[in-house]
Amino acid sequence: MTNSYRHLSFWLDALAASGSDDLVRRPALPGDSEVDVAIIGGGLTGLWTAYYLAKADPTLAIAVIEKHIAGFGASGRNGGWCSALFPASTASLERRHGRDAAIAMRRAMIATVDEVGAVAATEGIDCDFVKGGTLSLASGTVQLDAAKAEVQEAARYGVDAITLVDAPSGAGGSAAASFDPACARLQPARLVRGLARTVENLGATIYEGTEVLDWEPHRVSTTNGTVTAGTIVVATEGYGATPSKTHRSVLPLYSLMIATEPLSDELWQEIGLEHGQTFTDFRHLLVYGQRTADNRFAFGGRGARYHWGSSIRSNYDRVPRVFEHLRRTLGEIFPAAKDAAITHHWGGPLGVPRDWHATASFDPATGIATAGGYVGDGLSTTNLAGRTLRDLILRRDTELTRLPWANHRSPRWEPEPLRFLGANLGTVSMGIADVEERLTRRPSLAAKVMGPLTGH
């Protein structure tokens, strides 16, 4: 099994290539077991929950159950943004929960970025964490107006320290950008794999190569036996879209990425991005990127279609059309990188709730906790989920358990074929919106119509 998972992303491949992690599966569940807390999913949500529970009560017997290896899913494949972004906008949170609750959520998300960095430092997890902020590049009048609106919106709530700045010197066609300091660049596979080892050192057990077949209050059925537990945590995010219990709770939306060869220091000086900086722009079909610790571009975006019945398959991780779109788009944003060789292609599904509103929830009557619906903003939000679930499970009344996402319930997605038609229409509409704005130089009507359906 050595290195059998390295092909899943550049991040995992880099770990294997460096010799720092062989990516070999841990032992599977040996048979029936009884614990205090059983966690389904060995990604960041499950591991952060295990970490904070073990820290709060070292006597707890905690088992993490993972079908593949820790970090197999989005936790080992994402863009490496540890940001304060939440899938529902602050304005949307205010409309639903009120101004004070919306501001509390923003403060919690901003603080979470530093919390991740602090835990990584304390536990000796070398994940290339550098808090360099995010540049949202603005090309053309429509995008510049959007950047100014973002700065004004942040000022209205008085929490986010977003400002308007000059674009990097090598950003083709972009004269300005908004800058949000509340984001760190990191190597996500290093974080999730390091956190898994930390959790084990705290006394929790991680069973890999163990597929969960079903769960109910106080009972998890797997291919290797049954786990009985006082508390069950369902932490599967987009990969939880396929079981019959959850397939309408979250929609698996694919996001794909590329990585370039390492670029020279001279080329980076021309590009103008500093270490630790992440970047995006104001197009509607989302793109995102970072300058990696070894001087590559890691760049990703949407564009892959949703598959009927929330189907998830490994061949969906690679769509040549989308990879070519990403390569071309990176060259448009930073022309100096247009001839850089692409060394890695990868992707995977992220979890989208019907109202684009993430949650961390616990039902004391059943002992079942859930967290997810991050819509790609999970690298930091998973940490907040772990701390929120800790307090909910331990029956604590804290600032975290009073946040508006605690015990939030999203409506279910529509059955097929409505789900298939709506999800793919949304992706197509965002592409149309970008073309519309380039041609008309006015804000897109298509984007305005779709805005309420995407958490804005």
Side-chain angles (χ1 to χ4, degrees):
M1 296 297 295
T2 303
N3 294 340
S4 62
Y5 294 102
R6 64 185 297 175
H7 72 280
L8 293 174
S9 71
F10 159 68
W11 313 116
L12 289 166
D13 185 53
L15 285 185
S18 69
S20 60
D21 193 325
D22 58 16
L23 305 180
V24 172
R25 283 181 179 174
R26 293 170 170 83
L29 179 72
D32 293 348
S33 178
E34 183 174 351
V35 295
D36 296 308
V37 182
I39 298 173
I40 304 171
L44 285 170
T45 297
L47 293 172
W48 280 125
T49 304
Y51 174 81
Y52 286 108
L53 282 172
K55 283 285 193 178
D57 185 353
T59 68
L60 288 174
I62 301 171
V64 179
I65 309 166
E66 167 58 44
K67 181 179 179 180
H68 297 284
I69 62 169
F72 169 86
S75 298
R77 310 190 198 195
N78 61 73
W81 286 35
C82 185
S83 77
L85 294 172
F86 190 78
S89 69
T90 309
S92 174
L93 291 172
E94 181 181 21
R95 288 192 298 270
R96 182 186 290 267
H97 304 289
R99 181 179 175 85
D100 289 346
I103 289 175
M105 195 74 222
R106 291 305 313 137
R107 292 190 189 282
M109 287 301 306
I110 292 168
T112 294
V113 178
D114 292 327
E115 173 71 8
V116 172
V119 173
T122 298
E123 302 294 351
I125 302 173
D126 180 10
C127 60
D128 300 330
F129 184 99
V130 179
K131 190 178 177 184
T134 298
L135 287 162
S136 297
L137 306 170
S139 176
T141 303
V142 175
Q143 290 197 13
L144 181 57
D145 288 344
K148 292 176 180 177
E150 182 182 52
V151 173
Q152 292 170 357
E153 173 105 337
R156 185 165 74 86
Y157 292 103
V159 181
D160 294 90
I162 300 175
T163 57
L164 196 67
V165 299
D166 292 334
S169 56
S174 297
S178 66
F179 176 72
D180 183 354
C183 184
R185 174 221 68 193
L186 56 76
Q187 213 278 35
R190 285 184 176 275
L191 175 62
V192 66
R193 300 290 293 173
L195 184 59
R197 291 188 291 271
T198 299
V199 164
E200 288 178 310
N201 291 337
L202 291 172
T205 303
I206 301 174
Y207 297 112
E208 296 182 338
T210 304
E211 182 178 359
V212 171
L213 303 174
D214 197 6
W215 67 87
E216 58 189 41
H218 313 303
R219 180 185 176 93
V220 179
S221 301
T222 83
T223 51
N224 295 55
T226 298
V227 179
T228 304
T231 299
I232 294 169
V233 180
V234 182
T236 52
E237 187 52 349
Y239 287 85
T242 49
S244 59
K245 283 187 177 182
T246 55
H247 82 282
R248 286 180 58 192
S249 299
V250 64
L251 183 144
L253 180 67
Y254 274 78
S255 193
L256 306 187
M257 293 197 70
I258 58 174
T260 70
E261 62 185 338
L263 307 181
S264 67
D265 290 339
E266 293 76 18
L267 200 57
W268 279 112
Q269 187 172 3
E270 179 182 347
I271 290 166
L273 272 182
E274 301 295 331
H275 272 299
Q277 287 187 326
T278 60
F279 66 92
T280 183
D281 63 13
F282 286 93
R283 73 186 65 210
H284 299 286
L285 196 60
L286 179 68
V287 295
Y288 51 90
Q290 63 148 284
R291 176 182 178 179
T292 67
D294 63 346
N295 279 333
R296 303 170 188 259
F297 271 111
F299 185 67
R302 308 288 194 264
R305 71 181 184 89
Y306 162 80
H307 298 274
W308 182 275
S310 295
S311 175
I312 296 172
R313 298 179 183 174
S314 59
N315 59 302
Y316 298 162
D317 296 345
R318 287 169 169 77
V319 183
R321 170 185 58 82
V322 178
F323 290 139
E324 174 57 25
H325 164 73
L326 291 174
R327 185 199 64 77
R328 187 174 60 251
T329 301
L330 177 60
E332 292 170 356
I333 295 175
F334 292 106
K338 66 182 177 62
D339 295 323
I342 306 301
T343 60
H344 294 76
H345 305 79
W346 74 97
L350 49 88
V352 183
R354 183 61 178 81
D355 58 358
W356 289 56
H357 192 309
T359 187
S361 303
F362 176 63
D363 183 354
T366 63
I368 296 177
T370 59
Y374 310 123
V375 198
D377 297 328
L379 195 50
S380 52
T381 316
T382 51
N383 175 276
L384 183 59
R387 288 181 284 134
T388 303
L389 289 183
R390 171 202 59 195
D391 290 353
L392 289 170
I393 290 167
L394 297 180
R395 314 296 206 276
R396 296 176 174 178
D397 180 14
T398 67
E399 290 183 359
L400 297 180
T401 63
R402 293 189 291 271
L403 289 173
W405 82 322
N407 292 316
H408 171 78
R409 290 189 177 184
S410 298
R412 300 179 75 197
W413 282 93
E414 291 79 1
E416 302 292 17
L418 296 177
R419 187 161 75 248
F420 180 85
L421 294 172
N424 288 314
L425 177 62
T427 299
V428 171
S429 296
M430 293 301 97
I432 291 173
D434 290 326
V435 174
E436 180 188 350
E437 290 185 348
R438 284 197 299 269
L439 293 176
T440 67
R441 299 184 181 180
R442 295 193 301 270
S444 167
L445 294 177
K448 185 176 181 180
V449 171
M450 295 299 295
L453 302 178
T454 57
H456 296 283

